[in-house]
Amino acid sequence: MKAVRVHEYGGPEVLKADADVAIPAPKDNEVLIKVLAAGVNPVDTYIRTGTHSRRPPLPYIPGMDAAGLVEKVGSQVKNVKAGDRVFTVGADSGAYAQYATATADLVFPLHSNLDFDQGASLGVPYFTAYRALFTRGHCKPGETVLVHGASGAVGIAAVQIARAHGLTVFGTAGTEEGLKLVQQVGAHHVFNHREQGYMDKIRVASPNGEGVDIILEMLANVNLDNDLQIMRWKTGRVMVIGSRGPVQINPRYTMAKESDIRGVTLFSSSKEDWSEMGAAINAGMELGYIKPIVGATYPLHEAARSHHDVINNEGTRGKLILHTWE
């Protein structure tokens, strides 16, 4: 099969398309998926550099998110069968390939409402958004949530899910096109994070000007100190989903409002967490409020360009997708 492999840690240039990679064989509890679309996530780039806590042995095939058709199942697999449309949030053998294996617990049915590109957009973004909002954030209807970077894949997921569950949704983006997109997917109010004083505007727009209840933070090394200044008293919590470096904060901001800073790591989820998240995402697909936005697509041999773009593009809009059979 064709697959992208990393033979040494480094920049995007270490992503090499190989044409003679063996098709992985599923274990008893695994599913072999014919991958029709693979999702590109920022974490894929961190792992590729070798600086992430996850350091797969070389060579390895990157990627966790994939969608396609079930090719074969292991002897213990009961939840899917050959020919089913599925997506996965945990391609064990790597998603940037024409075939991938995944543990059955991390393989979910892909609703007919969504195509395969959208299916490959579900995994990490939507499960992370749900975990941040509910498993870790304990959101409740009527609360106000601020989603930083809301035009990105996780941001769009968070806006759609939060709006459907009765929260008032604030979203930020860095371009006019991004702001329009964030509003289209469900945000009540949008703010340009490139404008001077935009955080003051968020505070003023919050209920009674008291601040927001929960913040989903995608770039904590830039925003965290400012986040702590617009939290609502007693209820405020920041969910740290992403950070690209250290940050200096004033702890007094957390003391005065008794606010919380909570980390979010998707792959700390328990089996029960995965089951709950999968059921929630499936319900969202059925009801129609989960509608992933695909930002750009690339043939498999342009995986390096996708890794550059997912980190460096200004005004990210939606999920980046690799087409594995092009």
Side-chain angles (χ1 to χ4, degrees):
M1 68 174 182
K2 293 180 181 178
V4 170
R5 290 194 291 188
V6 173
H7 294 269
E8 60 179 326
Y9 294 116
E13 69 279 358
V14 303
L15 296 170
K16 304 296 183 184
D18 295 333
D20 57 351
V21 181
I23 296 175
K27 299 175 184 176
D28 289 345
N29 65 336
E30 289 184 333
V31 178
L32 177 65
I33 301 169
K34 181 179 181 180
V35 178
L36 300 179
V40 178
N41 295 298
V43 69
D44 298 347
T45 73
Y46 310 150
I47 295 170
R48 184 209 67 227
T49 64
T51 59
H52 193 268
S53 58
R54 297 178 67 183
R55 286 176 59 93
L58 300 170
Y60 77 93
I61 299 171
M64 293 174 279
D65 290 346
L69 300 171
V70 174
E71 184 77 9
K72 186 186 297 185
V73 300
S75 60
Q76 298 176 7
V77 175
K78 307 298 182 186
N79 59 322
V80 295
K81 65 183 184 304
D84 285 354
R85 301 172 83 249
V86 295
F87 73 94
T88 184
V89 67
D92 293 330
S93 63
Y96 296 9
Q98 292 179 322
Y99 292 91
T101 55
T103 304
D105 289 343
L106 299 184
V107 177
F108 304 91
L110 177 61
H111 198 277
S112 59
N113 289 343
L114 274 58
D115 61 29
F116 290 111
D117 285 359
Q118 291 175 305
S121 303
L122 287 170
V124 168
Y126 280 82
F127 283 70
T128 298
Y130 184 91
R131 183 170 178 80
L133 287 166
F134 298 107
T135 311
R136 297 285 294 137
H138 305 294
C139 279
K140 293 182 253 183
E143 289 191 313
T144 300
V145 58
L146 167 63
V147 181
H148 278 298
S151 63
V154 177
I156 289 169
V159 170
Q160 292 175 346
I161 294 171
R163 178 65 185 259
H165 284 80
L167 283 83
T168 298
V169 183
F170 292 2
T172 74
T175 66
E176 285 303 315
E177 188 177 355
L179 292 168
K180 289 178 182 177
L181 175 61
V182 174
Q183 201 152 37
Q184 287 170 2
V185 298
H188 294 87
H189 302 282
V190 295
F191 304 88
N192 190 328
H193 59 227
R194 300 187 191 282
E195 286 184 1
Q196 192 74 22
Y198 81 96
M199 294 291 267
D200 293 330
K201 294 180 180 179
I202 292 172
R203 183 190 294 107
V204 170
S206 67
N208 301 316
E210 295 176 353
V212 299
D213 296 293
I214 183 166
I215 296 177
L216 269 57
E217 182 53 72
M218 316 296 177
L219 199 61
N221 57 298
V222 173
N223 299 318
L224 186 56
D225 193 60
N226 289 328
D227 289 340
L228 297 176
Q229 298 177 55
I230 63 165
M231 304 303 295
R232 192 174 181 185
W233 184 63
K234 292 263 185 194
T235 65
R237 59 262 196 217
V238 182
M239 315 310 300
V240 179
I241 296 171
S243 184
R244 298 182 187 174
V247 62
Q248 183 172 339
I249 65 169
N250 186 343
R252 288 184 179 275
Y253 295 140
T254 66
M255 295 162 58
K257 296 187 177 183
E258 294 192 335
S259 55
D260 295 345
I261 303 170
R262 303 177 191 174
V264 179
T265 300
L266 180 59
F267 288 91
S268 292
S269 302
S270 66
K271 184 176 180 179
E272 291 73 22
D273 290 338
W274 287 115
S275 180
E276 176 186 333
M277 291 186 288
I281 301 308
N282 184 62
M285 287 189 283
E286 289 180 346
L287 293 171
Y289 66 78
I290 284 184
K291 297 178 180 177
I293 303 296
V294 176
T297 63
Y298 307 77
L300 195 61
H301 66 269
E302 291 188 2
R305 185 160 67 91
S306 75
H307 270 218
H308 173 273
D309 291 350
V310 77
I311 294 297
N312 296 295
N313 266 8
E314 293 188 2
T316 302
R317 295 181 299 279
K319 183 73 174 268
L320 304 188
I321 298 294
L322 293 173
H323 285 163
T324 54
W325 292 84
E326 288 184 5

